[in-house]
Amino acid sequence: MDFFKRHFFVSLFAVLGLVVVAYLGSQAASLQVFFGVVVPYLAVLIFLEGLIYRIIVWARSPVPFRIPTTAGQNKTLPWIERDLGEQLDNPATFKHLVGRMALEVLAFRSLFRNLRTELRKDPADPEGDRLIHWSYKWLWLGAIAFHYAFLVVILRHLRFFTEPVPMPFQLLEHVDGFFQFFTPAVYLSGVVLVVAVFYLMARRITSPTLRYISLAADYFPLLLILGIGISGILMRYIYKVDIVAVKELALGLATFHPVVPAGIGAIFYVHLFLVCVLFAYFPFSKLMHAPGVFLSPSRNMVSNNRWVLHVNPWNYPVKFHHYDEYEDRFREAMIEADIPVEKES
Ligand code: HEM
C-alpha cells in the first residue's frame, strides 16, 4: 500500500470504527450511561488536563532568542517612516503587538499572504522552466470559513446546555437559520463547516506535494470533524432525534446531575461519541495550534531587539568583553592601522 493510502485509510477506518462502536454501544440500554455520561466527562477531563499540561510546558520553556517573524521595516531612525502595515508586521510597541496578534488570530493574516510557488513551462523558452510565485487565497478562504463556521456551530450548541438560553445565542441561531428553505431551518454554519472540511481534505488529497507531506495525524482530525458535521446534519434534517431528551441529557451533564433519557436515537450517540473523541484527542494533536499561536515566540514578541537587550534565560555566567574594553586594549594599534575609534585616548 502506498504512503498516501496507508495514512488516509488508517484514519478513515479509525473514524468508521468509532462510528460503529458508538452505534452498537447505543443499542444496548445498559451502555447508554457509559456513552452518554462516562465518556463525555472523561473526554472533558482529558481535554482540560492535557490542555493545561501542554500550555504549562510551553509557557515554561525558555525562549533563548528574540525571534519575532517580521515582514516590514523595523523601527529605526526617526526620519524613516513606517506605515500602519509595517508597524503591525514589525511591532515595536505592545499596542502594535496586540494588533498583530488580533489580526493573526481573528483574520489569519499570515495565511492571507500565502504564496504559491511552482515551476511552469516558460513560453519564451520551450526547453526551460520558469519559477513563478502567485498569491493564493483559497487556503485562507477555506481555513477562515471552516474556523468561523466551527465557532458558530459550537456557540449555537450552547442552547442545549443552558436554560434559559442566553439572548446572544438565540440571536445567533436566528441569524444562522436565516435561509428558511426547509423545515427545520437550515443552519448555514453547519453546511459551511462540512463544505470547508471537504475542501481542506480534497486539497491534501489532490495535490501531489501536499499528499506527500500529509500523515494520518492530518487526515484523522479532518475526517473526525467531517464525521461530527455529517452526523449532526443527518440528525437535524433526516434521522430526527428527540431534542427535548437531548437537552435533558446535556443540561444534566452541565449541572453535574447526569440523566440518560430513553429513546434519544443511535445517531445522537454517534455524534456525541465523535465529539468526545475530538475533545480527548485535541491536546495530543496538531489541533493544539489554536492555543499554540498565543505562545509562539515568533508571533508574540515585540520586535525591539535593536534597542532592548534580550537575555537568554539559559545563559550561564560569562565574562563579557565589552567594546569599550576592547578599544581601550587595542586603541593604539587601531589608530596606527587607521581604524576609526570612539575615543582618541
Ligand atoms: C465539536 C463539537 C460539535 C460540533 C462541531 C457539532 C456539529 C454539529 C452540526 C454541524 C450539526 C448540524 C446542525 C447544525 O448546524 O447545528 C449538529 C447538530 C446537532 N448536534 Fe452537534 N456538534 C458538536 C457537539 C455536540 C454536542 C456536545 C451535542 C450534545 C448535546 C450535540 C448535539 C447535537 C444535536 C442534538 C444536533 C441536532 C440539532 C437539531 O436537530 O437542531 N452536538 N452538530
Side-chain angles (χ1 to χ4, degrees):
M1 200 187 273
D2 71 23
F3 184 80
F4 156 69
K5 284 187 186 146
R6 202 166 61 238
H7 285 273
F8 179 77
F9 284 108
V10 161
S11 312
L12 182 64
F13 288 126
V15 174
L16 291 177
L18 294 171
V19 172
V20 172
V21 166
Y23 180 79
L24 293 179
S26 67
Q27 300 300 302
S30 57
L31 282 180
Q32 288 186 354
V33 173
F34 179 72
F35 284 96
V37 178
V38 179
V39 172
Y41 277 143
L42 213 61
V44 171
L45 214 68
I46 298 173
F47 173 75
L48 289 177
E49 206 178 315
L51 191 78
I52 292 170
Y53 172 75
R54 287 201 67 180
I55 288 179
I56 288 177
V57 169
W58 282 338
R60 288 174 54 187
S61 308
V63 180
F65 305 110
R66 182 154 289 257
I67 47 166
T69 32
T70 58
Q73 169 68 55
N74 198 351
K75 185 176 171 213
T76 177
L77 302 166
W79 67 87
I80 299 182
E81 285 182 8
R82 303 193 310 148
D83 62 24
L84 185 62
E86 283 169 316
Q87 291 177 24
L88 290 169
D89 276 334
N90 204 331
T93 61
F94 184 70
K95 187 178 82 182
H96 288 126
L97 176 74
V98 171
R100 175 195 210 188
M101 285 300 281
L103 281 174
E104 187 61 39
V105 171
L106 302 175
F108 302 1
R109 186 158 187 259
S110 59
L111 194 56
F112 189 74
R113 304 154 68 106
N114 182 31
L115 289 182
R116 268 259 175 117
T117 305
E118 232 176 55
L119 267 182
R120 290 259 178 100
K121 284 271 164 267
D122 188 347
D125 171 15
E127 299 290 295
D129 288 326
R130 201 164 54 144
L131 190 66
I132 60 162
H133 313 272
W134 78 99
S135 167
Y136 186 80
K137 300 283 183 253
W138 288 107
L139 177 58
W140 174 82
L141 196 65
I144 208 118
F146 164 68
H147 285 86
Y148 273 103
F150 200 100
L151 178 69
V152 172
V153 168
I154 291 191
L155 291 179
R156 243 188 325 91
H157 271 61
L158 294 180
R159 77 186 191 278
F160 295 126
F161 295 88
T162 46
E163 187 57 48
V165 180
M167 190 52 198
F169 301 153
Q170 289 186 30
L171 196 70
L172 190 68
E173 201 176 321
H174 282 300
V175 175
D176 201 10
F178 177 75
F179 294 102
Q180 306 215 336
F181 298 134
F182 307 102
T183 307
V186 173
Y187 288 134
L188 201 58
S189 57
V191 178
V192 171
L193 173 71
V194 170
V195 172
V197 180
F198 255 120
Y199 162 72
L200 293 173
M201 202 164 57
R203 81 179 248 288
R204 272 193 189 278
I205 296 173
T206 51
S207 152
T209 40
L210 277 175
R211 215 164 44 223
Y212 158 73
I213 57 162
S214 297
L215 305 174
D218 298 300
Y219 297 120
F220 180 69
L222 285 172
L223 287 165
L224 191 60
I225 293 168
L226 203 56
I228 294 171
I230 291 175
S231 57
I233 285 178
L234 286 176
M235 179 165 36
R236 180 167 170 85
Y237 307 107
I238 299 175
Y239 306 111
K240 305 268 167 55
V241 293
D242 182 349
I243 289 293
V244 177
V246 167
K247 180 141 188 174
E248 213 180 313
L249 185 142
L251 267 177
L253 288 173
T255 54
F256 297 108
H257 291 100
V259 276
V260 182
I264 295 187
I267 182 98
F268 169 75
Y269 286 100
V270 170
H271 187 66
L272 184 62
F273 189 56
L274 295 182
V275 171
C276 292
V277 173
L278 183 71
F279 268 69
Y281 173 68
F282 192 98
F284 311 100
S285 69
K286 63 186 270 186
L287 303 174
M288 280 299 285
H289 69 269
V293 66
F294 295 96
L295 286 125
S296 166
S298 62
R299 301 272 152 205
N300 70 9
M301 296 180 118
V302 175
S303 174
N304 59 5
N305 40 358
R306 280 190 179 167
W307 60 95
V308 176
L309 180 68
H310 180 70
V311 178
N312 177 357
W314 283 334
N315 268 356
Y316 48 88
V318 171
K319 170 139 182 34
F320 290 105
H321 194 198
H322 293 285
Y323 178 74
D324 44 0
E325 292 165 347
Y326 171 88
E327 198 181 286
D328 282 347
R329 188 165 165 206
F330 294 108
R331 182 169 298 106
E332 234 173 282
M334 289 168 80
I335 292 171
E336 274 173 28
D338 262 353
I339 296 173
V341 288
E342 285 189 354
K343 286 193 231 151
E344 288 301 328
S345 57

